[in-house]
Amino acid sequence: MLVLGIESSCDETGLALYDTERGLLAHALHSQIEMHSEYGGVVPELASRDHIRRTLPLIQKVLNDAKLALSDIDGIAYTQGPGLSGALLVGTCIAESLAFTLNVPTIGVHHLEGHLLAPLLEENPPQFPFVALLVSGGHTQLMKVTDIGEYELLGDTLDDAAGEAFDKTAKLLGLGYPGGPAVSKVANQGKKGRFKLPRPMLNSGDLNFSFSGLKTAVLTLANQALANETDSDLQTKADIAYEFQEAVTEILTTKCMSALRETGLDNLIVSGGVGANKRLREQLNFATKRKLCHVHYPRLEFCTDNGAMIAFAGAQRLKALEENKLNHSFTVRPRWDLAELQKPQ
Ligand code: KG4
Ligand code: ZN
């Protein structure tokens, strides 16, 4: 079954073709980062307009790359939510209209399920069950995953998400948008031990997280350390970024190891934008190896938003559905709790 995947929930237009027999055949992405960067964050109206401009040419591109035609498509998967309503509506509307003309079924995919399953696109994917750390711009969750659609929430953030903390720290330090890669790049120049930031909830005894206190601690530290503009500003920012990244990655790693211990499982998958963080990967690789566990990541480009994860998640659900959706009326779900998902039947 050949599935076209369309991702348009935020600031990336992602398209992909996934075949249930042959795997991922093609994928293409247009990032709007440059367009939004002058505003310091995503402007929803501009995002929607750009998805409109990009989606059809990108569909043509993936078809050309895979040497396939529209008529080869057996089903269409699109991000139905959560995300920006206008942006979601663009992908949804194109998916449903195209499916109507091709007379193929559609499936609305939960964006986070897309992220969650992205590591399964790689070679030697883990078997169910496994523990999943989902670290995106809006979510920091630990889950026990027993099957597609069977997600038991083990821990969640009580306030900010880890990605959000990276974004806010970048803003505070004047490092630009998106914050994760910017903080990480500057942190590479940082010196160990100059500053000390707290590790909130590290020893809370549960699997929950809290990052808003850390953000406030960065604000206080930055205000003190950068009070007078001097030549050493850049180094100071790098030292703060270094310690911030150490704090976040230590918390995430510790909680992942606790989740593996508590569930008795030995496979961990990491997904979402923060999963691209090099230091997080170093720490997780080290910690899991020590405990004879395995950690699986998506390739770097599939940590952040992309069409491949939507095509893949959609294909798993379309394949399992007894009755495929051929009625092409639609709605999007800008707010959508992952816990509402059920196993396809
Ligand atoms: O999964 P994603 O692309 O979008 C959402 O669904 O939210 O995640 C975006 C988040 C942003 O907060 C971004 O700053 C963060 O992932 N991020 C990173 C890195 N790359 C992206 N955080 C830390 N290190 C990175 N290398
Ligand atoms: Zn995402």
Side-chain angles (χ1 to χ4, degrees), residues 9 12 111-112 115 135-139 162-164 166-167 178-181 184 245 271-278 303-305:
S9 66
E12 248 114 30
H111 180 78
L112 296 179
H115 275 302
V135 266
S136 67
H139 292 81
E164 204 175 344
F166 267 100
D167 293 334
S184 174
Q245 182 171 261
S271 54
V274 184
N277 188 275
K278 214 170 137 224
C303 282
T304 44
D305 294 349

Side-chain angles (χ1 to χ4, degrees), residues 11-332:
D11 57 352
E12 248 114 30
T13 319
L15 272 299
L17 286 167
Y18 179 83
D19 186 279
T20 45
E21 303 292 316
R22 293 183 292 161
L24 185 64
L25 301 182
H27 64 96
L29 187 89
H30 176 78
S31 169
Q32 305 175 352
I33 284 178
E34 211 180 308
M35 182 178 81
H36 296 294
S37 60
E38 74 177 277
Y39 304 95
V42 179
V43 184
E45 175 64 23
L46 294 184
S48 312
R49 291 185 208 173
D50 203 56
H51 288 307
I52 290 174
R53 279 192 290 271
R54 307 288 173 183
T55 308
L56 293 180
L58 286 178
I59 291 178
Q60 195 56 60
K61 180 173 175 10
V62 289
L63 285 170
N64 292 347
D65 289 353
K67 298 191 172 50
L68 291 168
L70 272 179
S71 54
D72 293 316
I73 294 172
D74 301 311
I76 303 184
Y78 59 88
T79 306
Q80 193 181 7
L84 304 168
S85 359
L88 290 168
L89 276 166
V90 176
T92 302
C93 188
I94 291 174
E96 294 291 357
S97 315
L98 189 56
F100 177 72
T101 62
L102 298 174
N103 197 29
V104 296
T106 51
I107 184 94
V109 174
H110 195 297
H111 180 78
L112 296 179
E113 180 171 68
H115 275 302
L116 195 68
L117 301 178
L120 305 188
L121 276 162
E122 304 305 325
E123 268 176 38
N124 303 319
Q127 301 293 311
F128 296 111
F130 48 74
V131 169
L133 171 70
L134 182 63
V135 266
S136 67
H139 292 81
T140 303
Q141 297 183 329
L142 272 164
M143 264 161 296
K144 181 177 169 184
V145 179
T146 33
D147 205 342
I148 307 279
E150 294 195 343
Y151 311 128
E152 184 193 335
L153 188 66
L154 302 172
D156 203 347
T157 179
L158 305 181
D159 39 58
D160 292 354
E164 204 175 344
F166 267 100
D167 293 334
K168 288 178 176 169
T169 294
K171 219 168 195 169
L172 276 171
L173 297 177
L175 301 177
Y177 148 90
V183 168
S184 174
K185 190 168 165 218
V186 172
N188 283 338
Q189 316 299 323
K191 278 200 257 22
K192 187 179 174 180
R194 177 164 168 212
F195 296 119
K196 189 75 194 160
L197 286 166
R199 269 76 172 145
M201 299 194 53
L202 188 66
N203 301 310
S204 60
D206 57 23
L207 297 172
N208 291 328
F209 306 87
S210 165
F211 291 105
S212 79
L214 184 57
K215 171 196 68 193
T216 313
V218 171
L219 175 65
T220 313
L221 181 58
N223 281 343
Q224 286 164 359
L226 297 164
N228 307 307
E229 274 190 43
T230 66
D231 290 346
S232 60
D233 259 16
L234 265 182
Q235 188 57 51
T236 299
K237 284 182 183 180
D239 296 343
I240 295 174
Y242 174 91
E243 172 60 8
F244 167 79
Q245 182 171 261
E246 286 301 300
V248 175
T249 53
E250 186 184 333
I251 296 165
L252 293 174
T253 304
T254 304
K255 298 273 174 170
C256 283
M257 297 317 293
S258 304
L260 287 171
R261 198 177 53 244
E262 283 179 26
T263 54
L265 298 175
D266 57 8
N267 270 308
L268 171 72
I269 66 149
V270 180
S271 54
V274 184
N277 188 275
K278 214 170 137 224
R279 183 67 183 131
L280 177 64
R281 289 185 175 214
E282 268 171 23
Q283 294 222 26
L284 285 173
N285 291 345
F286 181 76
T288 47
K289 203 168 168 197
R290 256 185 61 204
K291 295 286 175 195
L292 304 176
C293 294
H294 307 279
V295 56
H296 305 260
Y297 311 95
R299 69 196 79 168
L300 282 182
E301 61 185 326
F302 292 167
C303 282
T304 44
D305 294 349
N306 64 85
M309 67 184 196
I310 302 303
F312 179 75
Q316 308 311 310
R317 285 188 170 270
L318 276 173
K319 180 165 85 167
L321 284 182
E322 273 169 19
E323 236 178 88
N324 284 327
K325 189 184 161 226
L326 282 166
N327 155 21
H328 295 294
S329 67
F330 60 83
T331 172
V332 292

